[in-house]
Amino acid sequence: MRFWRLLLLATPLLAETTWKEVAPILERRCVQCHQKGEVAPMAFTSYAETRPFAKAIRQAVARQSMPPWHAAPGAHSFRNDRSLTAAETATLAAWVDAGAPRGSAPDSSAPASGPRRWKLGQPDRIVQVPGFVVPASGQLPYSFLIIPLNLKQDTWLRAAEFRIDQRQVVHHINAFVRPPGSSYLAGFPVNEVFTPTPAQRSKRHAHERVFDRRQLVLGYEPGYEPMPWLEDGAKLIPAGSDLVFEMHYNPGGAPAVDRSEFALYFAPAAPRHRVVAIDTLRDLDFVIPPHANGFVSQAAMTLARPARLLSVQPHMHVRGKQMNVRIVYPDGRAETVLAVPKYDFNWQTTYVLAKPLDLPKGTRLESTAGFDNSVNNRFNPDPAASVRWGDQTTEEMHIAFLELVIEANGDPEKLFSSLPASPRPTVPAAAPQD
Ligand code: HEC
């Protein structure tokens, strides 16, 4: 009985899978990147463009290397989940196996309108990197650019968007808000690019509050997708703040001049909630031994006030292998919020929870990062090295960036106030690096 049913499903006479069934899947799941002017090297917006890649598509979806999505299925779903359903994968495979026929469907899949300049609409303000010159080769230190925003009053930002100009050389750009009086890069010139020493970068006033020094607005890394933070939630830009770009370029074999842009979208009125990004779930002290595969670094922090968790973004470099982020509630309940079993440094995805999680005061957040410093890691630049925290891709990092929501007039500093000691050492709020 079951045998006959299988045979029936497999018979191509029944209903051959054609471009008509395939085009909507590509449009839904692939075309955001696979169109002219976007990150992927080939477009899938028409049958003619897609047909030569049919076999590669079958392989990529079977291997699950495409669409790029690295979270293991778990208790939580993500708003930006790019993965295919089993039915979609089966349809793509059936189409390729049938010889990738067009059938009688029209050639085109997506509207030919092309990528919009700003995905989130017309910005209120656009800030530009004024032509950063990237040489053909070498290692570049982090560069910085301070841009005064000249905002006379506290302003709420409901969204921000990066438009990256030279994708092949931009490793990352982080945009920070620097409130007036901050120690962060104090004394450096504005509106021009400079490269401070690590010591100059980490200088701070004694007892300076974390959010008085700088606040992360948005980071761009490959895999970045523009998204508003939350309905009725916005980030605060205190009056008189500057915008600071922290920029890291990786030379790509040919000289390039980058003119990336950053768009700001202001909220018309004060929101009910404030969105804050923190980078304190991290381990600054690990040393990965030479040739070690399976080295694990642990980080933990405890919330000293309630907050809602919006998103998690694991960050490691080329030796990063896996990351897990776990929540331990004050009542002892524990759950994994994000598991990335096969980390890929080319895709620094921010995993945005479909349903934000309420975290009571006293909740402990833990992250576990696994590294592969062996020769089996084909991205490993030097298996003989002892590897510590550092800016360069040849060094490592272990951070789980978190976006949290508090009430609009709440004090985000209270997230970090010291609490009774937790079983594992809490990462200090005023960390030495930045
Ligand atoms: C978020 C962006 C993004 C999405 C979504 C995406 N791709 Fe890709 N794709 C890329 C990029 C970038 C490359 C080239 C670099 C690489 O291979 O990782 C690529 C490469 C490919 C390749 C050729 C090389 C390889 O890895 O096999 C195939 C085939 C492919 N994609 C198929 C798909 C299909 C099919 C979908 C949808 C079901 C899809 N991609 C969705 C960004 C994306």
Side-chain angles (χ1 to χ4, degrees):
M1 167 69 182
R2 192 173 286 165
F3 172 73
W4 289 113
R5 195 180 295 157
L6 270 179
L7 200 67
L8 219 64
L9 279 175
T11 163
L13 288 175
L14 211 68
E16 193 181 55
T17 307
T18 65
W19 179 241
K20 184 162 173 257
E21 285 79 44
V22 165
I25 299 175
L26 300 182
E27 194 179 333
R28 206 159 48 234
R29 304 290 195 179
C30 320
V31 160
Q32 58 173 117
C33 301
H34 286 274
Q35 63 175 290
K36 211 166 149 259
E38 277 300 336
V39 284
M42 66 292 244
F44 296 153
T45 42
S46 69
Y47 178 78
E49 288 165 330
T50 311
R51 177 66 187 83
F53 297 100
K55 286 231 166 67
I57 289 175
R58 194 193 196 300
Q59 260 182 18
V61 300
R63 275 202 316 259
Q64 297 188 347
S65 62
M66 284 287 147
W69 182 256
H70 302 89
H76 297 285
S77 50
F78 297 96
R79 199 165 80 177
N80 54 334
D81 192 342
R82 300 191 195 104
S83 53
L84 294 172
T85 64
E88 288 168 335
T89 307
T91 303
L92 292 178
W95 176 62
V96 178
D97 292 345
R102 172 165 165 188
S104 54
D107 180 53
S108 144
S109 92
S113 61
R116 274 187 296 152
R117 182 168 162 75
W118 297 106
K119 299 238 159 61
L120 301 180
Q122 191 52 40
D124 295 307
R125 187 93 165 251
I126 298 172
V127 176
Q128 197 189 47
V129 177
F132 187 94
V133 180
V134 186
S137 62
Q139 236 184 21
L140 299 184
Y142 283 16
S143 297
F144 292 80
L145 174 64
I146 303 171
I147 299 159
L149 288 173
N150 300 316
L151 295 168
K152 302 279 177 285
Q153 53 206 356
D154 289 359
T155 304
W156 291 93
L157 197 63
R158 65 180 169 84
E161 178 175 344
F162 274 110
R163 203 189 59 75
I164 296 301
D165 176 30
Q166 301 291 318
R167 280 207 182 87
Q168 68 288 0
V169 294
V170 177
H171 173 275
H172 78 251
I173 303 181
N174 283 328
F176 295 96
V177 155
R178 180 178 78 165
S182 159
S183 65
Y184 183 46
L185 302 171
F188 280 95
V190 301
N191 293 324
E192 62 182 76
V193 174
F194 59 93
T195 53
T197 64
Q200 289 171 321
R201 276 169 49 192
S202 45
K203 231 162 90 180
R204 59 178 65 237
H205 303 316
H207 312 298
E208 187 174 25
R209 289 155 46 109
V210 176
F211 285 83
D212 288 347
R213 184 164 185 270
R214 66 173 198 185
Q215 302 169 23
L216 179 63
V217 182
L218 188 66
Y220 163 85
E221 297 91 1
Y224 158 81
E225 243 175 277
M227 233 180 306
W229 287 291
L230 178 83
E231 265 171 75
D232 206 25
K235 292 191 178 177
L236 179 63
I237 308 179
S241 291
D242 300 319
L243 197 68
V244 178
F245 286 146
E246 174 198 273
M247 304 176 290
H248 192 200
Y249 291 94
N250 272 347
V257 179
D258 180 53
R259 289 195 178 80
S260 291
E261 290 177 300
F262 186 63
L264 302 163
Y265 298 85
F266 299 129
R272 280 180 34 225
H273 300 114
R274 175 169 177 186
V275 180
V276 295
I278 61 172
D279 63 358
T280 41
L281 184 54
R282 64 183 170 192
D283 177 13
L284 296 162
D285 301 323
F286 60 79
V287 184
I288 309 171
H291 306 291
N293 180 6
F295 176 84
V296 169
S297 145
Q298 311 249 2
M301 64 172 285
T302 302
L303 293 182
R305 52 149 296 154
R308 276 192 331 144
L309 179 64
L310 272 191
S311 72
V312 181
Q313 185 199 345
H315 181 69
M316 299 176 281
H317 294 164
V318 293
R319 293 177 179 89
K321 198 164 106 177
Q322 59 88 16
M323 197 183 283
N324 268 294
V325 178
R326 220 166 74 102
I327 296 174
V328 184
Y329 293 96
D331 63 9
R333 262 183 320 128
E335 62 172 334
T336 295
V337 62
L338 173 69
V340 174
K342 278 196 214 143
Y343 177 79
D344 180 345
F345 68 94
N346 287 311
W347 293 103
Q348 307 270 333
T349 306
T350 297
Y351 296 90
V352 184
L353 287 161
K355 283 200 203 102
L357 273 177
D358 281 312
L359 308 179
K361 170 179 170 172
T363 297
R364 199 166 81 244
L365 294 144
E366 302 178 344
S367 71
T368 307
F371 295 92
D372 183 355
N373 193 18
S374 75
V375 285
N376 299 332
N377 178 355
R378 66 189 170 103
F379 302 109
N380 193 348
D382 182 7
S386 290
V387 187
R388 292 164 200 270
W389 178 283
D391 286 351
Q392 297 298 335
T393 359
T394 51
E395 303 166 303
E396 269 304 333
M397 288 196 182
H398 165 192
I399 314 177
F401 289 99
L402 305 175
E403 273 179 317
L404 298 165
V405 183
I406 60 174
E407 62 280 17
N409 57 4
D411 181 0
E413 210 62 30
K414 296 214 170 103
L415 289 166
F416 307 115
S417 358
S418 55
L419 276 180
S422 55
R424 257 199 238 113
T426 302
V427 177
Q433 186 91 33
D434 284 324

